[in-house]
Every structure is written in structure tokens, then in C-alpha cells.
Amino acid sequence: MADYRQMWNDLGMDLESHDVLCNVLPVAFGDVYLSQENRPAAMDFWDMVVADVHGIRPAELIEAQKNGQKVFGTFCVYVPDEVVIAANGIVTGLCGGSDFWVPAGEAVLPKGTCPLIKASVGARLSKTCPFFRIADMYIGETTCDGKKKAWEILGKDVPMYIMDMPQMKREKDIVKWTEEIKDFSKMIQEFTGNEITPEKLAEAIKTINAKRAAMERVYNARKDKNIPISGKDALLMTQIAFFDDPVRCAQMCNRLADELEERNKNGISVFPAGTKRIMVSGTPMAIPNWKLHHIIETVGGAVVCEETCTGTRYFEGQVDETKTTLDEQYRAIAERYMGINCACFTPNTGRIDDIIRLAKEYQVDGVIDVNLKFCCLYDTEGYTVEEALKKEGIPVLGIETDYSDADAEQLRTRIEAFIEMLG
Ligand code: BJ8
């Protein structure tokens, strides 16, 4: 591993605390990932990225900043990357997925806040994540109440721009979201000093569509009766996609998809025949939250699909590439993003339809509907999710968890019993 201490120091990071995090992460990664057998060779890229997760990409971002590019940190799949890229900006995900950051978040937020928000705020305030130090501006959004209030606290420490999300999906809401994207675009152009032209936006739309298509190819390979990649590895690919350069991300995902499609042809599976196929639905799993996948895949199950924002909600649906004026392009972007079914919308019947569709497409034996503790949106929607799955005769287990290991044994027992019941 290269020595990035000077870079972290220049970013104003707390090196002592950061050392503690750097000591835990490789052990966790080794236990969860490197212990797997017959992994696709193309996973070597993601292994390399994780091995230097606070080094390689941060160094690239700093280099880009030196060349005049601006870095925007985001927390939600609703923020349209296309607009930032069209202005020669860079997007990086900022959601925190480690229990390590929760105490620093709890120092300023109520304990009854979801761990994703606590970890994200904690990562900034504890000065232990380079991505949170590098971003020139954070982009928040008005999705859930916890996030809305967290932006006010983060905004005291770093420049923040908030996108006002509609809460319904009527025509007038799509019109409103289109206008919001236009305002966002105006701000991005002013902040970067770069004008967005229809040509540049068309190019950016193609870039992000290509990234989505590549990720979808990997997911499609998981629909095969022989499962060519573990859920843990697929999750890692998606988690890193939030941080990586989109062109390289597409290249690496396509390289992985090539290998998985070859495995499909040759009937190669990373799980023994008869392993129960599980879909995980619900709240996102930010890196390095691998807890649930690891439990499922060490008690006899295989995760074949994630109906989450670190899964299908991130890449499904393309922006229409045929539009040629900025007005039409912004509308096309708005339509694509309004197709994402987050539980912050009401009604949210599209998500229920998606879950049933995905359960069938991926031929799942059962669904584990997961809720991050204190996420009232997904918790409440879990009732409707379970009701719809039961109606379809698809077994479902609802669970609530956080980032700590305190409930790991209890979860293991419940999930093992659920998988045995499927057999
Ligand atoms: S589009 S799921 S990424 S908002 S888990 S912080 S909702 S209390 S992350 Fe999300 Fe965008 Fe929706 Fe997706 Fe709040 Fe719930 Fe926490 Fe959440």
C-alpha cells in the first residue's frame, strides 16, 4: 500500500483516529471477502480499490482539483450525476456505512437517527474520511426528515446545496423536479465556471447510461440458475460505483459481466446446487456495510438481487438519449430519476410492483426485507411489501438492524431458520 499520510494530513484529517479505522477495515474485508472461494477473477479490481480505499481514488480527486475540477459529494441516488459531469465536475458518494463513525454522529444527532445518517455526519465531523474532506460541496436532498435536519448541521461545516424533492409522482411533480434540476444545473455551472451545452449534457447522459447498462449486465448474469457471483461481490461492485470514475466503472463492470456471462454458459456457480436464492429489499448498504449479505451467505443462502439504492434502484432505467435541447434533456433526466421508487414517496406502489417483478426475474426462493434502525419510511412500507409478497406466495422475512455486531448472532439464527424453512 502506498503511503498517503501526507495527503491525509494535508486534508486536515485526524490521523490517530484514522489509523484505528485503517486497522479494522482490512481484517473485516479479509474475513468477509477474501475467505470466499471461486470468486470471479475480475473482482481483482475491486479488491485493489478496497485495499487502498482511502488512498487511490482520493489522490485522483485531489489531482483533478489541482487541474481545476470541482468535486461534489452526494448522499442519494436522486441527485443527477449527468448535470455535474456535463459541467466537467466529479461526483463522489458520501454515505457512511461503518459503525466506526456512529459515535461522532451521535454527538450531534439524536441516538434515534438511522445509522446511515449518523455515520455520514460522523465521518465528516470525526475527520476520518478523505472523501468527506475532499468534496468542494455537498449536495443534500429533501428525502427523509433525518437527512433534512442533518444537512443543517453539516451545512455549518461545509458548503451545502439542497435539492427539493417532490414527495409524489404526479405530472406536476415531474414538472417541479425538472425545474429543480434546472436550478441545480445553474448552480453547478456557476460553481464550476463551466457552461452546460446540449452537446455536453448529451455526452454526460451517454456516459452515465453506459455505466448503468454495465452494472445491469452484471445483475442480469445473476438471474441464471447457476449463480456466477456472490451477493457480497455484487454488492461491493455497486458500493464502489458511487465513488469511481463513471467511464472506468463501466469498463470494469463490463469486464466482470464478460466473465460472468462466460460462467453462465459453462454452468459455473459459486454456490452448491440447491442453495436458496434470496433477494434483499429495503434500505441502502453503504460501504463497508456487508453485514447482512455475509450472514445470509454463511448460513446457506445466496443473495441474487438487491432491491435497494445500492442495487437495482441505482442503475435501472436509462435517460432518453434522443433529446437535443437543454429543456428536453432536463425533462428526460427528471423522468428517469422519478422512476426510482424510494419509500419517501406516497403512494409508492411502483416499488411494490418492482419487488414482485424482481423476485420473479431473479427466480428467488425468498425475500429478506431489511430496514436500517430508525428509518421510519422503509419500516412502515415494510408492511405493504410483506403483504404483497405473501399474496404472491413468496416467503418473506422482515428484519431491522444497524451497523453494530450486537445483533449478529440473533440475525444469524433467524435467517438460518428462514432459509431452512424455504427448503
Ligand atoms: S432514494 S433510499 S438513497 S433517500 S435509510 S437516510 S431514507 S432514514 S438513504 Fe435513500 Fe435516496 Fe431514498 Fe435511496 Fe433516511 Fe431511511 Fe436513513 Fe435513508
Side-chain angles (χ1 to χ4, degrees):
M1 193 201 280
D3 187 1
Y4 294 105
R5 290 188 80 78
Q6 188 58 49
M7 177 182 83
W8 296 328
N9 195 44
D10 294 345
L11 287 170
M13 289 173 61
D14 177 341
L15 295 188
E16 221 173 289
S17 297
H18 186 244
D19 282 347
V20 179
L21 178 60
C22 288
N23 286 337
V24 217
L25 197 59
V27 179
F29 188 71
D31 289 350
V32 175
Y33 278 90
L34 305 180
S35 57
Q36 299 178 100
E37 281 173 21
N38 198 17
R39 297 175 73 209
M43 286 308 297
D44 61 354
F45 168 72
W46 286 275
D47 289 350
M48 182 266 294
V49 172
V50 176
D52 255 346
V53 73
H54 280 184
I56 300 173
R57 185 63 178 151
E60 282 181 2
L61 294 177
I62 292 168
E63 198 51 37
Q65 283 173 319
K66 284 184 191 151
N67 294 326
Q69 284 186 279
K70 299 283 185 206
V71 178
F72 296 85
T74 63
F75 302 85
C76 178
V77 297
Y78 258 89
V79 176
D81 292 355
E82 292 87 346
V83 175
V84 176
I85 288 165
N88 198 29
I90 301 175
V91 184
T92 186
L94 286 183
C95 287
S98 169
D99 208 35
F100 178 84
W101 291 312
V102 167
E106 285 181 344
V108 294
L109 293 165
K111 281 201 163 47
T113 304
C114 103
L116 193 147
I117 300 174
K118 288 191 286 197
S120 302
V121 171
R124 169 73 199 185
L125 300 185
S126 65
K127 304 180 178 165
T128 48
C129 176
F131 294 97
F132 279 83
R133 309 298 303 168
I134 289 169
D136 295 292
M137 181 184 277
Y138 291 6
I139 312 297
E141 60 341 289
T142 57
T143 44
C144 68
D145 288 352
K147 278 178 161 186
K148 280 190 277 199
K149 291 292 115 181
W151 307 148
E152 293 169 17
I153 294 170
L154 280 176
K156 295 183 206 289
D157 201 40
V158 65
M160 280 226 60
Y161 181 90
I162 319 280
M163 296 191 78
D164 187 12
M165 294 263 309
Q167 306 286 293
M168 298 179 81
K169 293 188 175 180
R170 300 158 300 182
E171 171 58 24
K172 66 179 179 183
D173 298 309
I174 301 176
V175 170
K176 177 182 178 288
W177 184 232
T178 309
E179 289 308 308
E180 192 62 22
I181 291 173
K182 284 185 192 169
D183 287 350
F184 177 60
S185 170
K186 195 163 165 261
M187 180 283 291
I188 293 284
Q189 293 180 67
E190 281 164 9
F191 195 77
T192 58
N194 298 325
E195 189 195 351
I196 295 180
T197 62
E199 294 72 30
K200 285 184 188 165
L201 192 50
E203 197 54 45
I205 288 171
K206 278 199 186 119
T207 301
I208 302 299
N209 275 348
K211 167 177 158 175
R212 292 190 188 110
M215 294 176 75
E216 191 152 22
R217 272 188 70 203
V218 171
Y219 267 63
N220 283 340
R222 302 168 76 192
K223 293 177 181 171
D224 195 82
K225 70 174 187 328
N226 292 303
I227 308 163
I229 182 171
S230 68
K232 284 191 281 194
D233 278 332
L235 175 65
L236 184 63
M237 174 201 80
T238 312
Q239 288 174 331
I240 297 292
F242 285 86
F243 297 86
D244 203 1
D245 170 73
V247 174
R248 178 175 51 207
C249 176
Q251 277 167 0
M252 291 300 136
C253 293
N254 276 324
R255 178 172 165 255
L256 175 60
D258 288 343
E259 187 179 350
L260 301 188
E261 286 165 9
E262 202 51 39
R263 283 185 166 202
N264 286 162
K265 270 190 225 145
N266 297 322
I268 296 172
S269 176
V270 289
F271 295 101
T275 301
K276 295 298 164 197
R277 303 170 68 94
I278 304 294
M279 178 167 87
V280 170
S281 63
T283 43
M285 296 170 185
I287 195 167
N289 179 11
W290 307 308
K291 178 177 163 181
L292 189 64
H293 278 53
H294 187 53
I295 293 176
I296 295 170
E297 297 193 334
T298 45
V299 298
V303 180
V304 293
C305 178
E306 295 80 16
E307 184 279 324
T308 66
C309 286
T310 41
T312 55
R313 290 202 296 268
Y314 186 38
F315 64 76
E316 280 199 333
Q318 298 279 45
V319 176
D320 186 346
E321 293 182 7
T322 63
K323 307 298 176 196
T324 50
T325 66
L326 284 175
D327 274 348
E328 289 172 342
Q329 288 167 321
Y330 289 129
R331 168 77 194 201
I333 291 172
E335 283 176 1
R336 185 268 157 192
Y337 280 83
M338 287 292 269
I340 303 169
N341 294 311
C342 174
C344 66
F345 285 91
T346 186
N348 197 28
T349 50
R351 177 160 177 252
I352 308 303
D353 296 343
D354 277 348
I355 291 174
I356 303 296
R357 169 180 60 83
L358 292 166
K360 291 178 181 167
E361 281 179 13
Y362 287 81
Q363 306 178 59
V364 308
D365 295 298
V367 174
I368 296 183
D369 188 47
V370 60
N371 187 57
L372 275 176
K373 238 177 218 166
F374 306 117
C375 175
C376 148
L377 292 169
Y378 281 87
D379 196 10
T380 310
E381 200 158 274
Y383 174 82
T384 315
V385 169
E386 288 187 29
E387 188 183 51
L389 284 164
K390 282 179 188 156
K391 212 165 139 200
E392 289 287 328
I394 302 165
V396 52
L397 173 70
I399 62 161
E400 186 169 68
T401 187
D402 56 16
Y403 292 168
S404 79
D405 278 332
D407 61 352
E409 274 319 303
Q410 194 201 14
L411 283 180
R412 191 172 285 278
T413 309
R414 285 184 65 203
I415 292 170
E416 195 166 17
F418 176 66
I419 290 171
E420 268 174 24
M421 183 273 289
L422 298 175

